Amino acid sequence: IFADALSHLRERVDYMFAGMLAGLFGELAKLDLGCTELCSPGAGAESSVFVISSTDRCNRVEDMVEAGAGVEDILASLRG
């Protein structure tokens, strides 16, 4: 919904959805989790892709996204 309403921005826009995912899965896991949107239709992707992990790890992922890393590169780095 938000991506459609803000499609003119051509960037990741589902921050509210990312926050809801972090909250939902954090509550289920009883952990402090973060969620970072890797790509979105507004930025030219076929669909949105999110990473849910520790807040520290999500901060590192956000830095990678901002630096222009692709989804596969980010996922490969998370796998170790």
Side-chain angles (χ1 to χ4, degrees), residues 16-61:
M16 184 179 286
F17 192 62
M20 289 187 289
L21 287 171
L24 172 69
F25 285 98
E27 184 63 27
L28 291 172
K30 302 295 185 214
L31 297 170
D32 184 23
L33 297 177
C35 181
T36 301
E37 183 180 16
L38 301 183
C39 62
S40 72
E46 187 174 316
S47 61
S48 294
V49 176
F50 295 88
V51 166
I52 301 168
S53 189
S54 69
T55 52
D56 288 341
R57 204 168 185 194
C58 281
N59 289 337
R60 290 193 304 270
V61 167

